[in-house]
Amino acid sequence: NAGVTQTPKFQVLKTGQSMTLQCAQDMNHNSMYWYRQDPGMGLRLIYYSASEGTTDKGEVPNGYNVSRLNKREFSLRLESAAPSQTSVYFCASIQRSGNTIYFGEGSWLTVV
Amino acid sequence: AQSVTQLGSHVSVSEGALVLLRCNYSSSVPPYLFWYVQYPNQGLQLLLKYTSAATLVKGINGFEAEFKKSETSFHLTKPSAHMSDAAEYFCAVSDGSSNTGKLIFGQGTTLQVKP
């Protein structure tokens, strides 16, 4: 089972460039999430999608947009990258409330 | 609002010694609590979770955690550390009254295991 797959794994961007992080899950999960991880701060929720067709802001949504393309895929877009967005990004999914949350392997993004 | 505090950003133990990683939470509703482990350059792996069934929760790799409501704590322990336990550990609480995937994470504790 692939589980939660994120691409790319590593990316270097210049300030002002745009890019999209892709996330796909093959577990037929309803809800999907994007987190960012910064040293000494744990993981913080950027955006989430409780079900196909819905998206909501998390704790740190500024500078990001998301698209729940279908039930499998949930993408995160940086329209104009800033050095403050240098981070490790994790996608996660869950079937429904009470179930186990599954995380992807992470995407390391550096903005120079 | 829920919050999580992990006491100690770095913990160092000798191989074979007791591992104790501390986590305190704040929640206005009965919490769902989690411990995750992250090895270098890898994703998060669930160690164990508390979902109100039993206060002592056993997880993978010999880890366990005890939910203490009176102390609002969910400390992670392992009787005997192994070199392979060296990693970063995160405590998390579900944001809300149910486990929806919206998690509030602590800042993490790096466990060093000395030979």
Side-chain angles (χ1 to χ4, degrees):
Chain A
N1 286 340
V4 180
T5 304
Q6 296 179 226
T7 55
K9 190 169 180 70
F10 300 98
Q11 183 73 49
V12 179
L13 285 179
K14 294 182 179 179
T15 298
Q17 286 185 319
S18 62
M19 77 158 297
T20 300
L21 298 176
Q22 307 285 355
C23 175
Q25 50 88 11
D26 61 0
M27 297 172 284
N28 200 36
H29 285 177
N30 291 315
S31 303
M32 298 183 73
Y33 306 81
W34 276 106
Y35 288 87
R36 61 176 289 173
Q37 181 183 21
D38 301 293
M41 301 188 73
L43 281 76
R44 292 177 293 169
L45 183 64
I46 305 171
Y47 269 95
Y48 67 100
S49 171
S51 61
E52 186 178 358
T54 69
T55 61
D56 284 288
K57 295 179 180 179
E59 181 184 355
V60 288
N62 291 346
Y64 305 95
N65 286 301
V66 291
S67 295
R68 184 73 183 268
L69 305 170
N70 47 56
K71 192 171 186 180
R72 288 187 64 248
E73 299 172 290
F74 187 40
S75 63
L76 179 72
R77 183 162 178 83
L78 287 70
E79 291 291 351
S80 179
S84 61
Q85 293 178 304
T86 293
S87 188
V88 184
Y89 292 84
F90 287 97
C91 180
S93 69
I94 188 171
Q95 170 67 313
R96 59 180 179 273
S97 178
N99 289 161
T100 297
I101 303 159
Y102 291 86
F103 283 85
E105 292 288 305
S107 295
W108 275 254
L109 176 65
T110 301
V111 183
V112 297
Chain B
Q2 282 82 354
S3 66
V4 174
T5 301
Q6 290 182 239
L7 302 176
S9 58
H10 288 84
V11 170
S12 182
V13 301
S14 297
E15 190 173 19
L18 171 71
V19 175
L20 171 60
L21 304 182
R22 300 178 186 273
C23 172
N24 287 90
Y25 69 92
S26 170
S27 176
S28 57
V29 296
Y32 285 73
L33 292 158
F34 307 83
W35 275 100
Y36 285 88
V37 61
Q38 184 181 31
Y39 299 100
N41 297 320
Q42 295 189 24
L44 278 75
Q45 181 180 7
L46 180 67
L47 277 176
L48 48 81
K49 64 180 179 182
Y50 168 75
T51 57
S52 77
T55 56
L56 183 62
V57 182
K58 294 188 182 298
I60 62 172
N61 302 338
F63 285 94
E64 62 182 36
E66 185 173 8
F67 172 70
K68 292 187 177 180
K69 184 178 180 180
S70 61
E71 298 177 8
T72 60
S73 69
F74 190 57
H75 300 333
L76 182 72
T77 61
K78 182 174 180 178
S80 178
H82 192 273
M83 297 296 292
S84 61
D85 294 326
E88 190 161 21
Y89 292 79
F90 292 95
C91 181
V93 64
S94 187
D95 183 11
S97 61
S98 60
N99 175 21
T100 63
K102 292 172 62 181
L103 300 179
I104 307 295
F105 284 83
Q107 75 273 29
T109 298
T110 300
L111 176 66
Q112 180 187 23
V113 182
K114 297 177 292 185

